[in-house]
């Protein structure tokens, strides 16, 4: 059997963390077993589906490098197929027209609640042997309902949760086409999974209640059932449902916020799945190790600090040329033009150990290409009268010293000894004058990155 998995987002919003993890697990399962990964856009919600959301999904998949083998397929382009299957089911007596109006349904459910019963459709228009149906009322366009089995069970061995059983008597007759003729979600999913030969459905456990209905429709169509794997949801660090305040933003927002895709992939992979105690691993390792048996049965908790830690790890591993291109893009977004002096790659090489995100790296690099205006309180604190003579002499000696870190370090040490000062007494004011900060890598290394003329000009303003 050829493995065929799918990711089927609805373009009613961005690709969020939960959806990205579902896509990752479905993609990895297919990649590990030499199968096919399919992207399907479930765009039948015309009121809420947008082109922007669809593009955000495609961009998110591309940024995460989750390549798909087939698709994207669009449900709105498959309407003729859905309608043909609806007519087939109506003709075979596996579905029927229902004329109960929305107002009648509301009244029915209200009466059932008042009696302490589960609200559900009462089967008024369901055809049965020996049953006389009412005459169709005028002016009411019927919906189409699936004739759900009255007895037995809908059951499956979930690849994550284990055995799950629903009594058919607890399921009412699902609407599979609205009064305007458009098919509903659960029906479209079944036809799509059938036509696309999906062998494993990997999705969030919020779909568990849909699964028995979909199983029964598949059985009515005489189709083989896929295997189902329902992945627990992701919670915030406080145990509440994940929301924007926890970091549940668009995948592309993480790109804008300076995260690397491999960091987010590593984090999502570890969010509810494990391979022993391994915390850091490549995409290749993840695919080799991945199986559904090691997905946790309980909800995972999103930890933004752990994601930052992983991102810092991957920034340290990333090549300077790649980081330079990415940081250049972030700086361009701020209107900062990067010059050749200093080379951005050299700045990245010096600062990459210190940054948890590309934005932090861009913050550090920016001061080499813009006019810097140190805060007055920093100037007052560090340009004390007792260090000015040494700083002035240093500026004078900078004019002809070899402009490289070892020579600059030797000159600074010479003047420290001459003026009887400790390193911070010279290093701190130098940092403030040059970059407007008190914390940088080794001051001689920072000095060597700047053109000599820039250093002398920035020092001159305050001396």
């Amino acid at each position: 059997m050829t493995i065929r998995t799918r990711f089927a987002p609805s373009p009613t919003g961005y690709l969020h963390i939960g959806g990205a993890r579902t896509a990752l697990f479905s993609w990895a399962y297919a990649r590990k077993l030499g199968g096919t990964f399919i992207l399907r856009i479930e765009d039948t919600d015309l009121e809420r589906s947008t082109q922007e959301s669809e593009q955000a999904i495609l961009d998110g998949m591309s940024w995460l490098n989750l390549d798909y083998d087939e698709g994207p397929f669009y449900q709105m382009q498959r309407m003729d197929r859905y309608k043909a299957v609806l007519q087939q089911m109506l003709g075979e007596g596996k579905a029927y027209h229902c004329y109960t109006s929305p107002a009648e349904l509301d009244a029915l459910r209200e009466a059932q609640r008042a009696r302490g019963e589960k609200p559900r459709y009462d089967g008024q228009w369901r055809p049965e042997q020996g049953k006389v149906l009412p005459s169709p009322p005028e002016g009411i366009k019927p919906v189409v309902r699936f004739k759900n089995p009255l007895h037995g069970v809908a059951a499956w061995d979930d690849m994550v949760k284990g055995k799950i059983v629903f009594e058919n008597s607890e399921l009412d007759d699902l609407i599979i086409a609205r009064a305007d003729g458009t098919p509903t979600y659960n029906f479209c999913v079944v036809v799509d999974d059938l036509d696309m030969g999906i062998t494993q459905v990997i999705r969030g456990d919020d779909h568990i209640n849909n699964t028995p209905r979909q199983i029964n429709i598949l059985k009515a169509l005489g189709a083989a059932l896929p295997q189902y794997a329902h992945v627990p949801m992701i919670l915030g660090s406080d145990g509440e449902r994940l929301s924007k305040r926890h970091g549940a933003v668009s995948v592309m927002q993480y790109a804008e916020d300076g995260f690397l895709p491999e960091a987010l992939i590593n984090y999502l992979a570890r969010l509810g799945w494990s391979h022993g105690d391994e915390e850091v691993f490549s995409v290749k390792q993840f695919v080799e190790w991945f199986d559904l048996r090691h997905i946790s049965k309980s909800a995972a908790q999103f930890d933004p600090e752990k994601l930052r830690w992983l991102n810092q790890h991957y920034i340290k591993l990333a090549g300077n040329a790649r980081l330079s291109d990415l940081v250049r893009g972030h700086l361009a977004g701020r209107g900062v033009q990067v010059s050749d002096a200093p080379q951005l790659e050299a700045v990245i090489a010096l600062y990459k150990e210190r940054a948890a995100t590309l934005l932090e790296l861009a913050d550090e690099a920016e001061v080499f290409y813009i006019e810097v205006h140190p805060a007055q309180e920093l100037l007052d604190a560090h340009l004390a009268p007792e260090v000015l003579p040494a700083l002035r002499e240093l500026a004078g000696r900078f004019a002809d010293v070899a402009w490289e870190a070892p020579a600059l370090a030797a000159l600074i040490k010479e003047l420290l000894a001459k003026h009887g000062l400790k390193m911070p007494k010279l290093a701190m004011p130098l940092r403030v004058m040059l970059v407007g900060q008190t914390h940088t890598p080794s001051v001689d290394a920072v000095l060597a990155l700047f053109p000599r003329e820039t250093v002398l000009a920035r020092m001159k303003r305050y001396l």
Side-chain angles (χ1 to χ4, degrees), residues 314-440:
Y314 281 104
I315 284 176
K316 290 177 183 178
L317 293 181
N320 296 332
R322 177 192 173 201
L323 292 175
S324 178
D325 287 343
L326 294 170
V327 169
R328 192 184 303 272
H330 285 290
L331 290 175
R334 304 177 185 184
V336 176
Q337 295 301 312
V338 175
S339 65
D340 291 334
Q343 290 288 333
L344 183 55
E345 276 193 48
V347 177
I348 296 301
L350 183 60
Y351 279 88
K352 64 190 285 187
E353 296 283 331
R354 303 162 54 89
T357 69
L358 296 176
L359 292 189
E360 292 179 7
L361 200 48
D363 290 341
E364 301 283 13
E366 184 180 53
V367 296
F368 290 87
Y369 307 104
I370 64 171
E371 287 293 321
V372 173
H373 302 285
Q376 189 60 47
E377 56 266 28
L378 285 178
L379 294 169
D380 293 341
H382 296 288
L383 268 69
E386 64 269 22
V387 300
L388 291 177
L391 288 169
R392 291 183 180 122
E393 183 174 353
L394 189 62
R397 298 283 297 276
F398 276 167
D400 56 12
V401 69
W403 203 253
E404 54 190 26
L408 292 168
L411 175 59
I412 291 170
K413 288 178 182 177
E414 177 188 334
L415 292 187
L416 287 173
K418 178 179 178 180
H419 290 270
L421 298 172
K422 299 289 187 183
M423 177 62 81
K425 282 293 186 179
L426 271 187
M428 287 298 207
L430 278 173
R431 289 183 173 110
V432 170
M433 287 187 289
L434 291 176
V435 300
Q437 304 166 13
T438 57
H439 298 287
T440 71

Side-chain angles (χ1 to χ4, degrees), residues 73-89:
F73 298 108
Y74 296 87
Q75 287 185 328
M76 286 304 298
Q77 296 174 6
R78 290 174 45 77
M79 284 295 149
D80 289 346
R81 169 62 176 157
Y82 302 141
K83 290 176 181 178
V85 177
L86 283 168
Q87 289 305 313
Q88 172 192 333
M89 294 181 72

Side-chain angles (χ1 to χ4, degrees), residues 11 40-47 49 54 73-83 178 180 182-183 188 192 196:
R40 187 169 78 215
I41 305 295
E42 298 187 339
D43 57 348
T44 56
D45 188 341
L46 297 180
E47 291 185 4
S49 295
E54 178 193 324
F73 298 108
Y74 296 87
Q75 287 185 328
M76 286 304 298
Q77 296 174 6
R78 290 174 45 77
M79 284 295 149
D80 289 346
R81 169 62 176 157
Y82 302 141
K83 290 176 181 178
R178 303 176 184 88
D180 63 2
T182 59
C188 294
D192 290 342
M196 296 174 190

